Amino acid sequence: MFDDFLVRATLAGIGVAIGAAPLGCFIVWRRMAYFGDATSQATILGIALALALNLSVIVGALAVALVMALTVTSLSGRGYSMDTLLGVVAHAALASGLVAVSFLSGVRLDLMAYLFGDILAVGQTDLAVIWLGVALVIAIMFWRWSALLTATLNTGLASASGINPKREELVLTISLAIVVAVAIKVVGVLLIVAMLIIPAAAARPLARNPESMALIAGVIGALSAVLGLRASYLYDTPAGPSIVCVAAGLFLVSNILGRFRVA
């Protein structure tokens, strides 16, 4: 079964969708869309370092994403807003990555594949790493869901309940870094944030509570991956952008259905 590249691509897309769904909900609730975008840009440096050290691209991207998450979280609240810190760190890492790539002799880097994804080239090892990363993120979400939700809704209530909002923010940013790193081969650096936000936003009009929103977002994300790959195969379109286009279409459908439900 795993010899079929379309099966591997579909499993990779579904895995990323499942891992991104609960995190996407928190991004929507916390209005943290820029974090996903900034983290994905910073992973270019991780890709360059991985190629230079002959390591897995996912390992390099994950290392840089984690360092960025820890750096931004530790520096936030010290005179700079989160958006400012993200802008500085992300663009510095992106520029450093592009400069580092120019020094790699004998290494051919397909930037388009990393920017827009190359899901059809996902191998068995990549698939295993993706699902391990997704399993880790889902485990973290189960473990910290209540605390994360409380800290998201009301930081004052969280503090009064013995929950450290700063710690929960760190947990969330680390989880986001993991998903961004494992999703690079699926939708690419520029489209990762779309897969985080669009399914969650599409689920919002159909959900009755936070838990159902996360579940519906996972279903929408997985459906986007399956239908996007099918459309890419039939019409010879780029796989990553096709997945995001399907997700955007489902977002429109869900909002129309949500209006009928309210009426």
Side-chain angles (χ1 to χ4, degrees), residues 31 41 48 58 94 97 103 106 127-128 133-134 150 155 167 177 182 186 206 210 230-231 262:
R31 300 179 181 179
Q41 291 180 38
I58 292 178
L94 173 61
F103 285 107
L127 190 58
V134 169
T150 304
T155 55
R167 181 186 62 200
V182 301
V186 178
L206 307 176
R230 179 65 176 170
V262 172

Side-chain angles (χ1 to χ4, degrees), residues 22-40 68-70 72-73 76 81-83 86-87 141 148 151-153 155 165-177 180 192-194 196-197 200 204:
L23 296 175
C25 293
F26 282 108
I27 286 178
V28 170
W29 296 329
R30 286 173 171 254
R31 300 179 181 179
M32 287 177 61
Y34 189 45
F35 179 83
D37 190 33
T39 304
S40 63
M68 178 182 168
L70 293 170
V72 171
T73 303
S76 64
S81 67
M82 178 68 82
D83 283 352
L86 285 171
M141 289 296 101
L148 279 168
T152 298
L153 296 176
T155 55
K166 193 81 171 178
R167 181 186 62 200
E168 301 310 318
E169 183 179 347
L170 178 60
V171 169
L172 182 61
T173 54
I174 289 174
S175 300
L176 282 169
V180 167
I192 287 173
V193 71
L196 282 165
I197 295 174
R204 196 168 193 171

